[in-house]
């Protein structure tokens, strides 16, 4: 378990700050993560590693010459936000383009993808290289769906060395993708990791059992089996990887035997004594093998074995020198010269003024009250949502939603105090939610709220049909970004019944506030029923997908929280509270006209 912490929710930030302080000669903390202390003299491709915290030395420990130029650092086991990725890229870019590299998790794909869109719009060349080495997470026929685990390290190393040697962006990306296509990892867990402040581990195994195929977020093994002697464990890992030897692969391989956090180096060496001879007997030459901790999972007990089949291009990149806080190889005095980076300015731009009518400011107060109600209900459901997510996902749904809503409420309070209208309040809340929650659900909720706000605008109080349009925009943004279909077992399974019911009832009958509230409440019950019904589904999207079977019998956490949120928002967005505060009845023609004249 994790014993040293202050407020558990500050753990990741404090760990990063401490890391940057002790390694100040090599790294510099910037908003969203960290970058190298020294900037290159000539423009070079910036290789940016990233993902959640809890995996040290991944990702910030790998910043330095010959490896990463920067790391985007999310909360524990949670994707960093698009804003963080954007900010780190801006700090690391030296004019030759940036490449984000990360394990294939939905939240990371969304956030790095959104940051890339923003960078590209500013004319910065940007690419993404996803790592998909975990053979246990999908069959070979669906290798593009596999998660990224310890193979992250090999891919970062190859790209980092290529960029250091002056390769251009297209070549760095090509080499990274090639390394990924030739890298396979299999893991095994013996004991679950425990979040700072958590009462119990993320998952448990029976005494003397191991879970084969663990993910680095504690996604439980594909199957549990009796813990074998080291020799048999080594054979199991080696044979599973050799069974996936890439077609046409050569006989020289990079090998990583990786500890997951609380497995001792001595244990790894004992295991190596089986692994190395088996690989040599299979005809392989082992090139600079690594035994140690390169991608961990807090205090998880477990190991993973990674093989990268090398060729003439990859081998010199794998063996090239590197100097980072956590990893050194070869001659440290690599690139002579190098000029000190300028300290990034922390001065935030002064917040802009808001333009809004009084009517919209009144409805903005309702939006804030709705968010505050959501915060209370998510806080009390935090543990339950986390437990649901731990069955087949990574257990962070409750924590992520609470972080998101806390940030959203704070941002909304600030915007309301500065006179924002409803649209601006929801946009600020959505951006803060996406920035702080991380994870798949965080980016979707953040983007959805912003879209909802864009329909409301800052002039009028919404009538029933505007509310229905806002809910529709919320849903369109979430399905557009996440690409989940009905039946994939995601929040979309609760969201679509809500939007369908609400727009149908609004079109049929809602002409006053009471009818609108009734329509909202009926839609919320449809969402609740639909969320409960997801228990029988197998997940086809998101982190829970590889462990689909385990999830059957438990409702989808994201669908459950969505139904809960829409239920508590109703009275504030569509009910009498709204009527009282805008003083004229929701959607009433008089109010809308009055609002219009105020602008
Ligand atoms: P993460 O999966 O990154 O750990 P959370 O645990 O906070 O994020 O959220 C998990 C929830 O996100 C799932 O229960 C599901 O409802 C939702 N989700 C996952 N992938 C998608 C997607 N592609 N589209 C819509 N919702 C999704
Ligand atoms: Mg999760």
């Amino acid at each position: 378990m994790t014993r040293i912490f202050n407020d558990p929710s500050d753990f990741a930030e404090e760990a990063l700050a401490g890391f940057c302080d002790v390694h100040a000669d090599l790294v510099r903390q910037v908003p969203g993560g960290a970058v190298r202390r020294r900037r290159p003299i000539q423009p070079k491709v910036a290789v940016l590693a990233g993902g959640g915290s809890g995996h040290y030395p991944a990702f910030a420990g790998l910043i330095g010459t010959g490896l990463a130029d920067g790391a985007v650092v999310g909360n524990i086991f949670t994707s960093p936000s698009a804003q963080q990725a954007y900010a780190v890229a801006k700090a690391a870019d030296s004019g030759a383009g940036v490449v984000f590299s990360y394990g294939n998790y939905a939240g990371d794909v969304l956030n790095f993808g959104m940051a890339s869109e923003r960078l590209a719009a500013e004319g910065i060349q940007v690419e993404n290289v996803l790592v998909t080495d975990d053979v246990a997470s999908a069959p070979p026929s669906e290798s593009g769906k596999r998660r990224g685990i310890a193979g992250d390290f090999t891919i970062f190393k190859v790209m980092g060395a290529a960029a250091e040697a002056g390769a251009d962006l297209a070549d760095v990306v090509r080499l990274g993708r090639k390394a990924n296509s030739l890298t396979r990892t299999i893991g095994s867990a013996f004991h679950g990791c425990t979040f700072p402040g958590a009462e119990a581990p993320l998952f448990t195994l029976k005494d003397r059992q191991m879970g084969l195929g663990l993910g680095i977020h504690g996604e439980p093994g594909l199957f549990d089996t009796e813990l074998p002697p080291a020799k048999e464990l080594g054979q199991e890992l080696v044979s599973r990887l050799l069974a996936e030897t890439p077609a046409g692969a050569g006989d020289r391989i990079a090998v990583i035997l990786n500890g997951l956090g609380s497995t001792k180096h001595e244990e790894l060496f004992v295991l190596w004594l089986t692994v190395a001879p088996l690989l040599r007997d299979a005809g392989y030459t082992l090139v600079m093998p690594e035994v140690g901790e390169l991608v961990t999972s807090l205090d998880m007990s477990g190991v993973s074995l990674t093989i990268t089949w090398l060729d003439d291009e990859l081998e010199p990149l794998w063996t090239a020198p590197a100097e980072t806080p956590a990893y050194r190889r070869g001659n440290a005095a690599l690139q002579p010269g190098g000029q000190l980076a300028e300290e990034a300015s922390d001065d935030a731009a002064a917040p802009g003024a808001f333009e809004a009518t009084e009517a919209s400011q009144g409805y903005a107060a309702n939006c804030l009250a709705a968010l505050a109600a959501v915060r209370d209900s998510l806080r009390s459901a935090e543990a339950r949502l986390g437990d649901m997510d731990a069955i087949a996902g990574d257990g962070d749904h409750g924590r992520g939603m609470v972080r998101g809503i806390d940030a959203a409420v704070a941002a909304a309070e600030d915007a309301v105090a500065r006179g924002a209208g409803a649209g601006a309040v929801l946009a600020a809340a959505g951006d803060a939610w996406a920035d702080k929650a991380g994870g798949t659900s965080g980016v979707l909720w953040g983007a959805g709220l912003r879209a909802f706000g864009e329909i409301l605008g800052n002039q009028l109080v919404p009538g029933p049909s505007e509310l229905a349009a806002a809910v529709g925009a919320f849903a369109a943004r979430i399905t557009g970004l996440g690409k989940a279909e009905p039946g994939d077992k995601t929040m979309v399974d609760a969201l679509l019944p809500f939007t369908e019911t609400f727009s149908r009832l609004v079109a049929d009958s809602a002409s006053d506030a009471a009818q609108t509230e009734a329509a909202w409440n009926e839609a919320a019950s449809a969402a609740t029923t639909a969320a409960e019904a997801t228990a029988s589904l197998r997940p086809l999207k998101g982190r829970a997908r590889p462990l689909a079977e385990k999830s059957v019998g438990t409702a989808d956490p994201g669908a459950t929280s969505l139904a809960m949120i829409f239920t508590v928002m109703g009275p504030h967005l569509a009910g009498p509270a709204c009527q009282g505060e805008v003083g004229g009845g929701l959607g009433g023609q008089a109010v809308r006209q009055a609002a219009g004249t105020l602008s």
Side-chain angles (χ1 to χ4, degrees):
M1 67 181 287
T2 307
R3 295 183 176 79
I4 301 179
F5 54 89
N6 298 302
D7 180 339
S9 61
D10 294 337
F11 183 82
E13 272 167 46
E14 291 183 0
L16 178 64
F19 164 80
C20 289
D21 184 82
V22 72
H23 293 294
D25 56 330
L26 292 174
V27 304
R28 181 166 73 87
Q29 188 165 6
V30 295
V35 298
R36 290 190 199 177
R37 167 64 60 190
R38 285 167 187 274
R39 289 180 69 82
I41 302 167
Q42 303 289 336
K44 78 175 272 292
V45 173
V47 175
L48 302 179
S53 298
H55 304 305
Y56 191 85
F59 299 94
L62 304 176
I63 297 173
T65 314
L67 244 153
D69 291 83
V72 189
V73 182
N75 202 357
I76 297 181
F77 291 6
T78 308
S79 161
S81 69
Q83 175 59 32
Q84 289 182 292
Y86 169 83
V88 173
K90 290 287 276 188
D93 176 38
S94 62
V98 301
V99 50
F100 291 122
S101 188
Y102 46 91
N104 180 29
Y105 299 91
D108 295 284
V109 174
L110 282 172
N111 282 302
F112 284 107
M114 286 165 72
S116 301
E117 282 175 15
R118 213 173 138 190
L119 292 163
E122 292 183 15
I124 295 176
Q125 289 185 71
V126 54
E127 294 280 355
N128 286 246
V129 172
L130 277 66
V131 181
T132 55
D133 58 315
D134 182 0
V135 301
S137 54
S141 58
E142 299 183 9
S143 58
K145 292 188 178 167
R146 287 176 170 175
R147 315 183 277 243
I149 48 175
D152 280 350
F153 179 80
T154 323
I155 282 76
F156 300 159
K157 176 73 182 64
V158 162
M159 289 200 293
E164 206 69 59
D168 67 12
L169 182 62
D171 224 26
V172 171
V173 168
R174 180 183 65 77
L175 290 161
R177 295 206 174 122
K178 184 199 229 183
N180 182 54
S181 74
L182 294 169
T183 298
R184 310 275 187 273
T185 300
I186 176 82
S188 184
F190 316 129
H191 192 274
C193 55
T194 307
F195 276 37
E199 302 276 314
L202 203 50
F203 66 92
T204 49
L205 288 158
K206 285 203 210 95
D207 200 27
R208 305 218 39 84
Q209 294 259 305
M210 72 167 189
L212 196 72
L214 85 161
I216 54 169
H217 307 101
E219 298 96 333
L222 291 181
F223 62 83
D224 297 349
T225 178
E226 199 174 322
L227 184 60
K231 277 203 174 87
E232 282 170 38
L233 175 58
Q235 278 161 357
E236 174 85 42
L237 298 177
V238 168
S239 64
R240 282 186 178 263
L241 292 188
L242 293 187
E244 290 231 10
T245 305
D251 57 6
R252 296 176 68 79
I253 53 176
V255 185
I256 299 173
L257 185 59
N258 176 57
L260 266 294
S262 70
T263 300
K264 291 191 292 297
H265 282 68
E266 284 90 339
E267 295 176 273
L268 296 176
F269 292 134
V270 168
L271 188 57
W272 182 250
L273 210 51
T274 299
V275 167
L278 282 173
L279 292 172
R280 289 187 190 114
D281 289 351
Y284 287 111
T285 302
L286 314 192
V287 182
M288 285 194 138
E290 292 290 342
V291 177
E293 291 185 347
L294 290 170
V295 179
T296 62
S297 183
L298 288 174
D299 59 331
M300 191 194 295
S301 165
V303 297
S304 64
L305 179 66
T306 302
I307 296 180
T308 302
W309 281 265
L310 299 170
D311 65 8
D312 292 348
E313 249 186 339
L314 296 182
E315 184 165 333
L317 299 171
W318 170 246
T319 57
E323 181 180 5
T324 77
Y327 183 81
R328 274 158 215 251
R329 178 184 279 171
N331 184 358
L334 282 165
Q335 306 285 313
Q339 60 201 29
L340 275 183
E342 271 182 3
E343 290 295 321
S345 161
D346 290 334
D347 295 347
F354 290 109
E355 275 187 32
T357 61
E358 271 181 43
S360 185
Q361 288 170 336
Y363 193 69
N366 290 68
C367 294
L368 174 57
L371 291 169
V374 170
R375 176 183 56 192
D376 295 345
S377 101
L378 283 176
R379 280 184 180 170
S380 53
E382 178 179 345
R384 184 163 68 88
L385 293 171
D387 290 347
M388 291 171 85
D389 190 32
I391 305 254
D394 55 359
D396 66 348
H397 187 61
R399 193 82 277 276
M401 292 296 279
V402 168
R403 278 186 77 92
I405 190 66
D406 281 350
V409 170
E413 277 168 351
D414 174 64
V416 163
R418 293 192 294 122
V425 164
L426 288 181
D431 291 353
W433 187 318
D435 192 31
K436 290 289 184 263
T440 316
S441 60
V443 63
L444 295 176
W445 267 99
L449 280 182
R450 175 172 258 285
F452 195 111
E454 277 162 10
I455 299 290
L456 296 189
N458 299 298
Q459 304 288 314
L460 304 179
V461 175
S465 52
E466 287 87 21
L467 261 188
V471 167
F474 175 90
R477 187 77 176 121
I478 284 179
T479 51
L481 275 175
K483 311 223 161 26
E485 305 275 345
D488 283 354
K489 193 163 188 170
T490 70
M491 61 167 91
V492 167
D493 289 316
L495 175 57
L496 295 187
F498 183 93
T499 50
E500 278 158 20
T501 309
F502 188 61
S503 28
R504 177 170 46 77
L505 294 176
V506 161
D508 288 355
S509 61
S511 56
D512 62 19
Q515 286 170 338
T516 308
E517 191 187 11
W520 186 288
N521 290 342
E522 195 169 328
S525 343
T528 306
T529 310
E532 283 160 7
T534 60
S536 64
L537 298 173
R538 302 169 80 252
L540 298 176
K541 277 273 180 329
R543 272 187 220 257
R545 187 193 52 77
L547 296 165
E549 288 308 332
K550 293 202 184 204
S551 140
V552 175
T554 307
D556 177 61
T560 306
S561 58
L562 184 133
M564 191 186 297
I565 291 170
F566 273 83
T567 302
V568 302
M569 286 201 302
H572 304 282
L573 295 184
C578 169
Q579 231 176 359
E581 291 188 33
V582 299
L586 175 83
Q589 195 61 23
V591 169
R592 274 184 283 158
Q593 272 166 4
T597 58
L598 285 166
S599 58

